[in-house]
Amino acid sequence: MLDIYIKGFIVTFSLIVAIGAQNAYILKLGLLKQYVGIAVTLCVLFDSILISAGVFGLGFFVKGNQVLINSIAIIGILFLCFYAFLSFKSALKNESIKIDDQIKTNPLGKVLSMLLVFTFLNPHTYLDTVLLIGGIGANLSDDLKLYFLIGAISASSVWFISLGYGARLLIPLFKKPITWKVLDIFIGLIMLLIAYTLIDLIVY
């Protein structure tokens, strides 16, 4: 049982640590100390739901529905390009973002909506959680799937907690305006790169 748990943990951790839209946003919230607990909890919850769906068979449905994949990919490309534009626009500003957990620069509603979009309108989320992680778990016998799922959820929890709260160690560096500019440019480039990779998912 322990080996199945470890397998679920390692597979999941190896996939979610890659820099992506969701991770970049959690990093920024962590630096700003803005709703980190809520954001981390939601990310783990979303991962748990999607991985569970994959382990128990939804991955086969999503994989075979090209119309659904095309729709998600197109919407994802448009959103990622728009968010990249906002990141570049932010980088052009001459002011630094004040790091203060008492001043909420992002309304909670905006944070929640951004997390929903980065999760459910990003096809790579489904590829990682439902198809890849879930697909591996789906091939296990029914009595072992739960252990794999617990391992996967544990990995998600460890990663997002570390990312969200560990970002505070970088706060001294991000008190300099130039650092925020570099981060915004980096995030913008990452969004464009992810958008570009989504083009391959579209089948005409």
Side-chain angles (χ1 to χ4, degrees):
M1 305 301 181
L2 180 60
D3 59 325
I4 299 299
Y5 170 87
I6 294 175
K7 181 179 182 178
F9 187 98
I10 293 176
V11 168
T12 303
F13 200 85
S14 64
L15 287 171
I16 65 175
V17 296
I19 294 296
Q22 190 183 59
N23 286 342
Y25 190 62
I26 294 299
L27 174 62
K28 196 164 188 176
L29 289 177
L31 289 168
L32 292 169
K33 297 192 285 186
Q34 305 277 292
Y35 307 111
V36 179
I38 294 175
V40 167
T41 300
L42 285 177
C43 285
V44 174
L45 176 61
F46 293 156
D47 270 6
S48 301
I49 294 173
L50 292 172
I51 295 173
S52 297
V55 169
F56 293 106
L58 182 61
F60 296 107
F61 169 75
V62 176
K63 186 176 183 179
N65 193 330
Q66 191 58 48
V67 174
L68 177 61
I69 294 176
N70 283 355
S71 300
I72 295 174
I74 292 172
I75 294 174
I77 289 171
L78 292 175
F79 173 77
L80 289 170
C81 288
F82 176 70
Y83 192 79
F85 166 75
L86 294 180
S87 294
F88 292 138
K89 182 180 178 181
S90 177
L92 292 175
K93 294 181 178 180
N94 293 320
E95 58 191 47
S96 62
I97 301 177
K98 187 174 182 180
I99 300 175
D100 188 340
D101 54 2
Q102 299 301 316
I103 301 175
K104 303 304 180 186
T105 58
N106 296 299
L108 179 58
K110 179 182 178 181
V111 171
L112 296 179
S113 62
M114 294 294 282
L115 287 174
L116 287 170
V117 169
F118 280 138
T119 301
F120 295 106
L121 290 185
N122 182 1
H124 277 290
T125 300
Y126 297 97
L127 288 176
D128 289 344
T129 57
V130 179
L131 297 181
L132 296 178
I133 301 173
I136 293 174
N139 289 318
L140 297 172
S141 59
D142 291 340
D143 59 321
L144 296 177
K145 287 181 179 179
L146 181 59
Y147 296 98
F148 179 88
L149 182 59
I150 294 174
I153 294 173
S154 297
S156 178
S157 301
V158 169
W159 169 247
F160 283 116
I161 290 173
S162 300
L163 181 64
Y165 289 100
R168 301 187 180 198
L169 298 176
L170 301 175
I171 285 179
L173 181 64
F174 278 86
K175 287 185 176 180
K176 301 177 180 179
I178 186 62
T179 312
W180 280 108
K181 292 179 185 296
V182 172
L183 178 64
D184 282 327
I185 292 173
F186 176 72
I187 290 176
L189 292 174
I190 289 295
M191 299 304 149
L192 291 180
L193 177 61
I194 296 173
Y196 177 76
T197 62
L198 294 183
I199 296 176
D200 293 332
L201 296 177
I202 302 174
V203 176
Y204 300 96

